[in-house]
């Protein structure tokens, strides 16, 4: 039984989760949840037991000094609550951690136990993948769900991918089996500049989250960081003619694929989203984040089937490659066919075959 003493009754709560590791190219997804926690001053009210889910030889604890006293921080997943003020206040339950090393079903059951006790209405899981996308264009963000009704009412894609998955895909499927509405938002990170951080992809995820939840997120210095990141990559790419040529190829493929979407209706919808996000009268102020004591866990379950997520192809040449930033897409959001098709079918000309996970 999960007990949440000290956590007040929440208002229309939505759980927003992100996990470092395979599902987090460029730290874009975990960076988005960290931004929400920082801007709205979230307070941690629970942490999962690290012994249950993590291999400490893979995710090592860290030692630090607090006024001369040595302390240890264990790798785990923590939950916090933030209250969004304004005319229509609501709460977000933020889940931020590392993809677990073991016992994924128990891990998902424990998170769903918290969601049930807190009255969470929907779970939004953020992810980021490596894709054939140029850094000079807007970051593609795909919204997918396993729930046909949710896909229809929220204008999302139904996930149809079959293949290897990460904790994002497992948690979404666990929510589906538990009857909890769940959505995954995936940002595509340029595979030729995969090292973190990627503030442009983080910003794109937050903008899509604003649209999904109909709220305004204070962005702070993130837009400026995104511009500085793009300028930095521009300079690095300009120093290598092969990379510059490859970026141009991706730009041409992306622009060609986007032409059918450049209709009057599509432009009007995008403009409405922009006005809704940037409406000065809609900006909520951060309220005090309710805190509470840590809570317990839940048992194992048998409800899983591997469906969502996949992988995109790697760079032909990397500006600063990071071999550890593999990611787990629900679909390939890059130029080409519709969402949910087999990964890699719409890659840019000349791109190499993807590695096996």
């Amino acid at each position: 039984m999960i007990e949440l003493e000290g956590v007040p009754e929440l208002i229309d709560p939505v759980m927003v989760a992100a996990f470092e590791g395979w599902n987090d190219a460029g730290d874009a997804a975990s960076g988005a949840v960290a931004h929400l926690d920082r801007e709205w001053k979230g307070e941690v009210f629970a942490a999962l037991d690290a012994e249950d889910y993590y291999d400490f030889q893979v995710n090592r604890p860290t030692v630090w000094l607090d006024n001369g006293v040595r302390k240890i921080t264990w790798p785990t997943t923590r939950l916090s609550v933030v209250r969004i003020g304004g005319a229509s206040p609501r709460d977000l339950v933020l889940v931020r951690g590392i993809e677990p090393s073991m016992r994924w079903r128990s891990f998902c059951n424990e998170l769903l136990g918290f969601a049930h006790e807190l009255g969470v209405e929907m779970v939004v899981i953020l992810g980021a993948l490596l894709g054939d996308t140029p850094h000079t264009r807007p970051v593609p963000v795909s919204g997918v769900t396993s729930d046909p009704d949710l896909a229809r009412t929220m204008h999302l894609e139904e996930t149809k991918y079959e293949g290897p998955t990460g904790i994002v895909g497992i948690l979404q499927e666990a929510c589906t089996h538990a009857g909890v509405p769940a959505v995954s938002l995936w940002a595509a990170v340029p595979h030729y500049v995969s090292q973190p951080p990627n503030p442009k992809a983080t910003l794109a995820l937050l903008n899509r989250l604003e649209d999904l939840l109909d709220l305004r997120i204070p962005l702070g210095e993130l837009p400026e960081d995104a511009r500085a990141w793009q300028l930095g990559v521009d300079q690095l790419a300009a120093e290598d003619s092969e990379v510059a040529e490859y970026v141009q190829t991706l730009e041409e493929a992306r622009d060609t694929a986007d032409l059918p979407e450049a209709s009057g209706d599509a432009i009007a919808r995008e403009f409405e989203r922009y006005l809704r996000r940037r409406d000065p009268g809609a900006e909520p102020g951060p309220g005090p984040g309710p805190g509470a004591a840590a809570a317990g866990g839940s048992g194992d379950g048998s409800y899983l089937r591997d469906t969502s997520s996949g992988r995109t192809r790697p760079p032909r040449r990397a500006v600063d490659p990071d071999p550890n930033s593999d990611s787990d897409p629900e679909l390939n959001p890059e130029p080409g066919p519709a969402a949910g098709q087999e990964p890699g079918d719409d890659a840019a000309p000349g791109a190499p075959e993807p590695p096996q996970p």
Side-chain angles (χ1 to χ4, degrees):
M1 177 66 178
I2 295 175
E3 297 180 1
L4 298 172
E5 295 180 3
V7 177
E9 184 176 352
L10 303 184
I11 303 172
D12 301 328
V14 171
M15 178 176 282
V16 181
F19 304 94
E20 299 173 19
W22 207 54
N23 308 130
D24 193 26
D27 290 354
S30 59
V33 173
H35 179 88
L36 296 174
D37 193 69
R38 182 170 58 251
E39 290 295 325
W40 280 321
K41 299 178 174 58
E43 293 185 15
V44 174
F45 66 87
L48 306 191
D49 190 341
E51 292 276 352
D52 291 340
Y53 305 115
Y54 294 99
D55 180 347
F56 299 139
Q57 290 183 322
V58 176
N59 298 292
R60 293 187 177 273
T62 56
V63 179
W64 55 287
L65 293 175
D66 181 14
N67 294 324
V69 179
R70 291 172 65 84
K71 294 187 176 181
I72 297 176
T73 298
W74 296 93
T76 188
T77 295
R78 294 177 173 83
L79 291 83
S80 58
V81 174
V82 298
R83 175 149 295 168
I84 306 171
S88 300
R90 75 179 311 169
D91 295 306
L92 297 182
V93 179
L94 304 180
V95 179
R96 183 185 174 202
I98 306 169
E99 183 176 66
S101 306
M102 62 195 80
R103 303 182 68 230
W104 284 16
R105 288 179 291 185
S106 295
F107 180 86
C108 292
N109 277 335
E110 189 162 357
L111 289 180
L112 286 171
F114 282 109
H116 175 72
E117 290 297 319
L118 293 168
V120 165
E121 299 178 346
M122 183 170 67
V123 175
V124 181
I125 316 164
L126 307 183
L129 54 92
L130 298 180
D132 294 322
T133 180
H135 71 278
T136 54
R137 297 294 187 265
V139 175
V141 177
S142 303
V144 295
T145 180
S146 300
D147 186 331
D149 294 332
L150 201 61
R152 183 175 58 256
T153 58
M154 303 193 77
H155 306 291
L156 302 166
E157 294 288 342
E158 278 191 71
T159 178
K160 293 180 174 63
Y161 177 75
E162 298 177 75
T165 190
I167 194 61
V168 170
I170 296 297
L171 180 56
Q172 177 168 320
E173 202 65 15
C175 291
T176 300
H177 282 266
V180 179
V183 175
S184 294
L185 300 181
W186 288 95
V189 172
H191 56 57
Y192 56 88
V193 55
S194 59
Q195 75 278 9
N198 189 318
K200 187 173 181 178
T202 294
L203 180 62
L205 280 171
L206 292 174
N207 284 339
R208 185 61 185 273
L209 186 65
E210 283 185 320
D211 293 338
L212 185 72
L213 301 182
D214 193 22
L215 54 83
R216 186 181 176 194
I217 297 171
L219 299 177
E221 298 179 356
L222 194 55
E224 184 60 35
D225 291 342
R227 284 190 288 270
W229 176 88
Q230 180 166 325
L231 288 174
V233 179
D234 284 342
Q235 294 172 358
L236 290 172
E239 295 171 0
D240 190 314
S241 59
E242 188 178 357
V243 173
E245 181 182 352
Y246 182 61
V247 172
Q248 184 178 0
T249 301
L250 293 179
E251 290 173 338
E252 292 171 354
R254 173 70 182 275
D255 294 344
T256 300
D258 283 348
L259 281 177
E261 293 298 324
S263 64
D265 289 343
I267 293 172
R269 285 196 302 270
E270 192 62 32
F271 187 60
E272 288 173 359
R273 291 192 190 102
Y274 174 81
L275 291 179
R276 186 165 61 250
R277 287 199 296 262
R278 299 284 76 85
D279 178 10
E283 180 176 6
S298 65
D300 209 37
S302 300
Y303 52 75
L304 303 175
R305 55 187 173 89
D306 284 338
T307 53
S308 52
S309 81
R311 299 178 66 180
T312 55
R313 60 191 67 235
R316 181 180 64 175
R317 168 137 184 187
V319 172
D320 186 5
D322 179 0
N324 295 320
S325 42
D326 286 339
S327 50
D328 180 19
E330 292 283 345
L331 54 114
N332 190 339
E334 278 311 290
Q341 70 169 63
E342 288 294 327
D345 287 350
D346 56 351
E353 288 302 313
Q356 295 301 315

